[in-house]
Amino acid sequence: MRPGSHSTYFLGLVTAAILPLIIDQGFGSNAYRVVTGIAAWNAGVNQVVLTTGVSATQSDSSVASDDSDPVQASRFIGTHSCVPCHRDGHSVPQYALAGKEYSVWVNRDPHSSAYSVLMNDRSKFIAQNLKLQIDPHKNRICLDCHSTNVTQDQWVGERQLSLSDGVGCETCHGGAEDWLTTHKLPDWKYFSAGEKSSLGFLNTDNVATRVRKCVECHVGSVGRDVNHDLVAAGHPRLQFEMSAYQSRMPRHWSRAKDLHQNSAVGETRLWLVGQLVSAAASLELLHQRASSPQSPWPEFTEYACISCHHGLAGEPSKSNDRLFANAVDQPAWGTWYFSTLASLAQTLDVAGASSLASEIRTLRESMQTRMPDREVIRTTTIALSRRLDDLADHFAQAKLNELAVLQVSDQLFAGKAEDEELNWDDLTQRYLAAVAFRQSVMDSRWKSGSPSVFEFEESKHRLIEIRDTLKFDARANHPPDLDVSQRTEISRILTAIFDQLKN
């Protein structure tokens, strides 16, 4: 979905801004998400063997490492510099998209139109509501995420031309002045991540590095804060899940190569690292908000929208009991980015993971007081964020296999007694996890020559059933009204899917 699509957004609420983009993961236009499409991926992908489950204390040598130092500053040239070699394609048998990356991006990737949407009616409407004195396509508030917006001294050439390219190649891969020529050479593939990084090239083969680049805008960061003012003015609320978002992007990279570098269960690695990095980024943003005396406090986008934005007549929504469990002045905090971490903490057998659940619970209790203590939140969030980032770095390179996927799924889909307390955020996060896990099991079994992929057809239809149940009504501005039995049924279906996959 291209940024600025009017038909799927409702003012001030997440509504359809999140679901059409990510809840269709697995069963939309992405060929590799359709069961019969898996046969297309490269049979040359190396199989990763692991016997230790999710503890994964060793790193996987086949996984893209991130032995790089911090990326060195390299000036930006502009997306046009990529066109000569990445437009028409060339013959590379194991990488059919080689040489066509620019064409895929400019014709199909919504990032290429990120700048142009700043001139549409919706953007003007948001700017009017915010009483901005500078037009959106000239305003740094908007440009920092809708373009490759860096300072003038970081550019080589005509700055405005590059801004109009939207979120271009160098936004994700790094300013190209120092590596553009070198990366055309045959020896480039033998450069280590550290050597490439020293030239300013960002190692997106490493999934932790990749996710961190995405969350700068899709979760938020310093100078890129989609706060309650922006949401109330009409900007969609940011709710991000990495594996789903990546699956919706038109690929200008080789999935076979990605699987080779990140193991046959790379989809689960992407999901797991995405959960950790996204949560860490949300904590860094909370730390920034708590540290700034000029920022409104508490910042309302930290809380579940529906805690406040609900009807005042009749009974509270059946599908969100937990969001109304607090007093009127204590809305629910962290319902999206911390939905799965408590369960994951019981599975991730690595130093620092076991105490995550209690630390998140303590932070939630602090944020759900009438006036959270800024200093307590500031101190707590930065330490916890760093630990989550460390865990992300670990699992970006740890050995994972199908057993690891099933162990993680046991914690999320075990059909526990507290299932009736799961709200829409919880259920949607688990649905998205289920799609990623199922894809990993399919990839793993296909690579090993195990049973036909058609055995996954039933789980596909069950997940579609869950997706359709969770979708927003196009006329509504809130999640579907699910009672306890419906929510329990969704949990039961998810458990049944993974019971089948274990056999």
Side-chain angles (χ1 to χ4, degrees):
M1 178 174 63
R2 289 185 169 267
S5 174
H6 293 6
S7 63
T8 54
Y9 294 150
F10 289 82
L11 294 183
L13 295 175
V14 64
T15 60
I18 181 70
L19 276 182
L21 187 61
I22 65 175
I23 206 167
D24 284 332
Q25 178 189 352
F27 315 109
S29 59
N30 189 325
Y32 282 103
R33 292 295 181 179
V34 181
V35 172
T36 55
I38 190 62
W41 70 266
N42 195 318
V45 176
N46 291 335
Q47 184 178 8
V48 177
V49 179
L50 174 72
T51 59
T52 56
V54 191
S55 60
T57 55
Q58 300 178 6
S59 63
D60 185 349
S61 59
S62 73
V63 172
S65 64
D66 193 21
D67 58 353
S68 57
D69 296 321
V71 175
Q72 300 300 309
S74 175
R75 294 197 299 173
F76 289 70
I77 303 176
T79 301
H80 65 276
S81 64
C82 305
V83 174
C85 298
H86 294 278
R87 179 179 59 189
D88 298 323
H90 53 271
S91 178
V92 180
Q94 72 273 23
Y95 185 11
L97 285 170
K100 300 177 183 177
E101 296 90 341
Y102 173 83
S103 295
V104 172
W105 171 81
V106 75
N107 291 313
R108 298 172 53 203
D109 195 318
H111 291 93
S112 66
S113 62
Y115 176 82
S116 63
V117 302
L118 296 179
M119 290 177 272
N120 68 17
D121 290 340
R122 170 166 290 280
S123 295
K124 294 175 183 177
F125 178 70
I126 295 172
Q128 180 182 3
N129 288 339
L130 290 171
K131 295 181 169 51
L132 297 181
Q133 301 301 309
I134 303 174
D135 290 339
H137 67 283
K138 299 178 181 179
N139 198 310
R140 183 168 183 175
I141 292 175
C142 309
L143 289 174
D144 279 352
C145 278
H146 283 265
S147 71
T148 305
N149 188 39
V150 296
T151 58
Q152 182 69 60
D153 61 356
Q154 292 177 278
W155 284 101
V156 176
E158 178 52 53
R159 183 173 185 270
Q160 187 59 32
L161 175 63
S162 295
L163 283 179
S164 66
D165 285 336
V167 180
C169 308
E170 291 169 292
T171 305
C172 298
H173 296 291
E177 182 185 28
D178 294 339
W179 54 263
L180 180 66
T181 300
T182 308
H183 99 292
K184 299 176 184 178
L185 303 176
D187 287 346
W188 175 256
K189 63 183 177 181
Y190 300 114
F191 279 43
S192 70
E195 290 170 328
K196 293 178 179 179
S197 180
S198 69
L199 298 174
F201 186 83
L202 195 65
N203 179 28
T204 56
D205 286 339
N206 178 275
V207 293
T209 303
R210 188 187 312 171
V211 180
R212 287 189 182 112
K213 176 51 64 175
C214 296
V215 300
E216 288 178 1
C217 284
H218 287 285
V219 174
S221 55
V222 176
R224 299 179 173 98
D225 185 354
V226 178
N227 58 22
H228 192 265
D229 288 347
L230 270 167
V231 174
H235 193 288
R237 178 182 172 98
L238 301 184
Q239 287 187 264
F240 180 72
E241 197 286 293
M242 180 65 190
S243 66
Y245 267 67
Q246 180 171 294
S247 79
R248 299 291 293 178
M249 290 297 101
R251 280 193 310 278
H252 60 268
W253 62 92
S254 165
R255 187 168 188 268
K257 178 183 175 184
D258 211 16
L259 286 171
H260 173 70
Q261 293 174 324
N262 289 295
S263 85
V265 293
E267 202 69 36
T268 292
R269 185 189 305 281
L270 185 65
W271 177 86
L272 174 57
V273 173
Q275 291 289 301
L276 294 166
V277 171
S278 297
S282 72
L283 289 175
E284 290 172 9
L285 192 58
L286 177 55
H287 173 81
Q288 172 192 327
R289 290 164 170 171
S291 300
S292 174
Q294 292 77 34
S295 297
W297 186 256
E299 166 54 47
F300 290 162
T301 50
E302 291 286 342
Y303 301 92
C305 294
I306 203 167
S307 290
C308 299
H309 292 272
H310 59 85
L312 300 179
E315 296 296 320
S317 170
K318 295 179 293 184
S319 63
N320 293 280
D321 295 340
R322 206 173 75 186
L323 301 185
F324 295 101
N326 304 297
V328 173
D329 59 349
Q330 296 176 343
W333 175 85
T335 58
W336 181 260
Y337 290 114
F338 299 92
S339 174
T340 64
L341 286 188
S343 296
L344 287 177
Q346 302 175 49
T347 306
L348 305 181
D349 182 17
V350 65
S354 59
S355 62
L356 281 178
S358 62
E359 293 181 45
I360 293 169
R361 183 168 56 252
T362 299
L363 177 59
R364 176 175 284 116
E365 290 170 355
S366 297
M367 284 297 294
Q368 291 179 175
T369 58
R370 176 173 294 186
M371 181 53 68
D373 186 310
R374 280 183 184 258
E375 183 59 26
V376 170
I377 300 302
R378 189 187 70 82
T379 304
T380 303
T381 49
I382 196 63
L384 184 53
S385 174
R386 287 170 179 167
R387 290 185 51 229
L388 289 171
D389 267 330
D390 287 343
L391 287 170
D393 286 332
H394 174 85
F395 284 101
Q397 300 182 54
K399 289 185 177 181
L400 296 176
N401 69 351
E402 184 179 324
L403 174 61
V405 176
L406 297 176
Q407 287 179 332
V408 173
S409 71
D410 273 342
Q411 290 297 327
L412 291 179
F413 311 119
K416 301 169 187 170
E418 64 266 28
D419 280 347
E420 67 271 11
E421 297 183 1
L422 295 180
N423 57 52
W424 182 86
D425 283 1
D426 295 322
L427 291 170
T428 302
Q429 281 278 28
R430 282 159 174 74
Y431 159 79
L432 295 171
V435 176
F437 294 173
R438 171 183 171 274
Q439 185 67 44
S440 285
V441 174
M442 287 174 61
D443 289 347
S444 176
R445 294 187 185 177
W446 179 263
K447 178 61 186 71
S448 64
S450 289
S452 166
V453 294
F454 291 103
E455 70 176 273
F456 295 95
E457 191 71 15
E458 182 180 354
S459 61
K460 170 186 172 181
H461 290 296
R462 286 184 166 189
L463 286 169
I464 290 175
E465 178 185 344
I466 294 174
R467 177 200 66 186
D468 291 343
T469 301
L470 291 173
K471 274 188 174 181
F472 276 81
D473 187 317
R475 299 164 296 176
N477 64 352
H478 56 75
D481 202 22
L482 307 177
D483 58 27
V484 171
S485 64
Q486 290 173 302
R487 283 177 275 152
T488 302
E489 178 63 10
I490 290 175
S491 294
R492 187 197 66 77
I493 294 173
L494 289 171
T495 301
I497 289 172
F498 283 93
D499 285 343
Q500 180 186 20
L501 291 178
K502 291 175 190 176
N503 299 325

